Amino acid sequence: MVVIHNTLGDKKQEFVPEKKGLVRMYVCGPTVYGPAHIGHARTYIAFDVIRRYFEYKGFEVKLVINITDVHDDMIEEANKLNTTIFELGDRYTKRFFEDMKALRVKPASAYPRVTKEIDAIIETIKLLYEKGFAYETNDGVYYDISKFPEYGKLSGIKPNKSITGTRVDTDKYEKKKAQDFALWKKAKPNEPYWPSPWGDGRPGWHIECSTMSTKYLGLPIDIHGGAVDLIFPHHENEIAQSEAAYGIKPFVKYWMHTGFLTIRGQKMSKSLGNFITVPELLQKYDARVFRFFIVTKHYRSQIDFSEEAMEQAKNSLKRLDEFIQRLYEVELQGNASVVEPILSETKVSFEKAMDNDFNAPAAWSAIFKLETEVNKLMNENKMTREAAQAVIEFLKKIDSVFDVLSFKKPEQKLTAEQEKLIKLREQLRREKKFEEADKIREQLAQQGIILIDTPQGTKWRKV
Ligand code: AMP
Ligand code: ZN
């Protein structure tokens, strides 16, 4: 049984999917006007682990991540670069996929893009308009939050009645209250636009996620996520829109929010000069090390990036890499019984930790405990090749959730003596001294080296 901390209600709840065996997840995607930064990477890696754990448990997962390719910031950036939001969007969507692949984030089932979903978005706005939740002004269409009494139920931030719009109105010119938000923004000169019943314009930000999550996953959605910065206003506004437009409450069963990634305790920002993009990160660090740094933390905790933290991650990962290499080198034959109790205990601890709101730090302490215990067995020469193989298979299964370990077999090398014997045997075969040649074959077989004679010469492999 998986238990999830639901931001809605701020409590842990047993996860019960709407459709048995299927998890339908929507995670708010990037605004594509620049390269992904390591804060984005934190959030998408965290949700990747959550998705993979559901798969480990046997669920099918349908994950949708939207691509925000119309946005005020994008228009500004496109104008600055003398290009269009379409070119900018194509360029950085492609880069986003490349960055996620480099970080071993599994692809989502769908990546709907706002510019391709305008008709569906207009339909949602129409519904809100017809149901009396929206009003039109001179510059756009707004959501009237006073019509949605439950506004604030996710974030706890209730609308402040005393705050009003810049022009409190009866004249339909601007939004009525400061907290009302735009569903449709009427186009100003030099802005991209689409036709709508309210004139040419573009959607506001929040409406895209209400529309696309519903269109691609159906209602109610099992899990909807993003980082904590999205709780208010973005997700609060999504609830107001979706529950008003489609009438299904709650429109999301479990709201999950990842903690922010900071750099040396500070928020990442271009003006502070501490902004690190994914390509910049990967120039300096192995993707596996960064991923390890992220997946060993709780998804809800704020995490602080620093060179020291990366160095620490690198060392811990090296320790695990060496452990796996050592397992490959165990030679003693026998059965796997010596590790069976360790494996079953680790499995229980790992699943108990992950079932409990994806408590990765607790899951990793179980893995490190296994490493200590198995290393002890290897030091005492009690490990067998079969037991080592069982540990490797076990770790592979667990790593299907984290995808950070390396299972590359150590390079196979012969000793100088063994190489000499192989050459000697080839010589003896050329001289048709097959009996002596066979003796060498047997001698090497006893050392675990199998010889294969091919037309290109004698090849070998270790068993
Ligand atoms: P954005 O491109 O800013 O719309 O963000 C895309 C996703 O990344 C959203 O889920 C954000 O909440 C998340 N995100 C942005 N900055 C950070 C950060 N510093 N740490 C963690 N997640 C972040
Ligand atoms: Zn969103």
Side-chain angles (χ1 to χ4, degrees), residues 315-332:
N315 291 335
S316 303
L317 190 58
K318 190 162 163 247
R319 182 171 139 191
L320 290 168
D321 284 351
E322 283 168 2
F323 171 59
I324 293 170
Q325 295 300 297
R326 207 175 160 198
L327 287 169
Y328 278 120
E329 280 159 8
V330 172
E331 288 191 340
L332 193 70

Side-chain angles (χ1 to χ4, degrees), residues 93-111:
T93 301
K94 191 167 159 270
R95 290 232 212 144
F96 174 70
F97 293 151
E98 287 165 4
D99 291 343
M100 291 304 116
K101 192 170 172 204
L103 294 168
R104 301 183 174 195
V105 173
K106 276 173 102 173
S109 322
Y111 294 98

Side-chain angles (χ1 to χ4, degrees), residues 28-31 37 39-40 42-44 226-227 229-230 258-261 268:
C28 289
T31 309
H37 57 65
H40 295 131
R42 189 274 151 102
T43 287
Y44 298 115
D229 61 321
L230 298 190
T258 48
F260 239 46
L261 178 136
M268 196 177 1

Side-chain angles (χ1 to χ4, degrees), residues 10-250:
D10 189 20
K11 57 176 183 288
K12 283 188 181 174
Q13 289 173 330
E14 180 186 345
F15 175 71
V16 183
E18 191 60 16
K19 293 186 182 137
K20 202 165 174 274
L22 176 68
V23 181
R24 287 143 52 253
M25 267 172 90
Y26 184 91
V27 177
C28 289
T31 309
V32 280
Y33 64 103
H37 57 65
I38 61 174
H40 295 131
R42 189 274 151 102
T43 287
Y44 298 115
I45 292 174
F47 280 106
D48 185 48
V49 168
I50 291 166
R51 173 244 181 107
R52 286 167 180 261
Y53 186 63
F54 278 121
E55 288 172 345
Y56 168 96
K57 299 275 287 184
F59 287 95
E60 183 193 337
V61 178
K62 207 168 161 192
L63 169 67
V64 175
I65 296 179
N66 65 300
I67 301 287
T68 302
D69 60 354
V70 194
H71 192 273
D72 294 352
D73 295 340
M74 275 196 83
I75 297 172
E76 202 181 301
E77 186 70 9
N79 286 341
K80 217 163 50 186
L81 299 177
N82 208 10
T83 183
T84 64
I85 59 162
F86 304 99
E87 189 279 324
L88 209 57
D90 283 346
R91 189 186 335 158
Y92 286 110
T93 301
K94 191 167 159 270
R95 290 232 212 144
F96 174 70
F97 293 151
E98 287 165 4
D99 291 343
M100 291 304 116
K101 192 170 172 204
L103 294 168
R104 301 183 174 195
V105 173
K106 276 173 102 173
S109 322
Y111 294 98
R113 286 176 65 159
V114 182
T115 50
K116 306 231 162 57
E117 302 289 343
I118 302 290
D119 288 349
I121 292 170
I122 289 174
E123 287 309 308
T124 315
I125 303 174
K126 271 194 202 158
L127 272 178
L128 288 170
Y129 207 85
E130 283 157 15
K131 292 185 175 184
F133 287 91
Y135 59 91
E136 186 180 356
T137 70
N138 195 37
D139 58 4
V141 176
Y142 291 89
Y143 187 98
D144 182 349
I145 61 167
S146 68
K147 298 276 165 56
F148 190 73
E150 290 166 83
Y151 193 86
K153 68 179 172 181
L154 181 71
S155 59
I157 300 172
K158 286 285 175 193
N160 185 340
K161 290 198 177 69
S162 63
I163 303 175
T164 49
T166 32
R167 205 186 303 184
V168 192
D169 87 340
T170 42
D171 60 3
K172 279 180 81 199
Y173 263 56
E174 281 164 348
K175 59 181 173 177
K176 291 179 194 164
K177 290 185 217 75
Q179 287 130 312
D180 286 351
F181 56 90
L183 297 167
W184 188 258
K185 295 180 173 181
K186 294 184 183 175
K188 298 195 187 88
N190 296 322
E191 286 186 349
Y193 62 82
W194 289 261
S196 85
W198 316 280
D200 293 343
R202 64 180 188 278
W205 173 32
H206 317 294
I207 196 70
E208 68 180 66
C209 286
S210 279
T211 304
M212 297 193 282
S213 60
T214 304
K215 178 173 167 185
Y216 284 83
L217 293 170
L219 290 175
I221 293 153
D222 293 313
I223 295 174
H224 189 128
V228 275
D229 61 321
L230 298 190
I231 298 175
F232 186 86
H234 186 52
H235 290 161
E236 194 68 64
N237 290 351
E238 272 191 54
I239 292 177
Q241 294 167 154
S242 292
E243 296 188 359
Y246 310 122
I248 291 185
K249 283 184 199 182

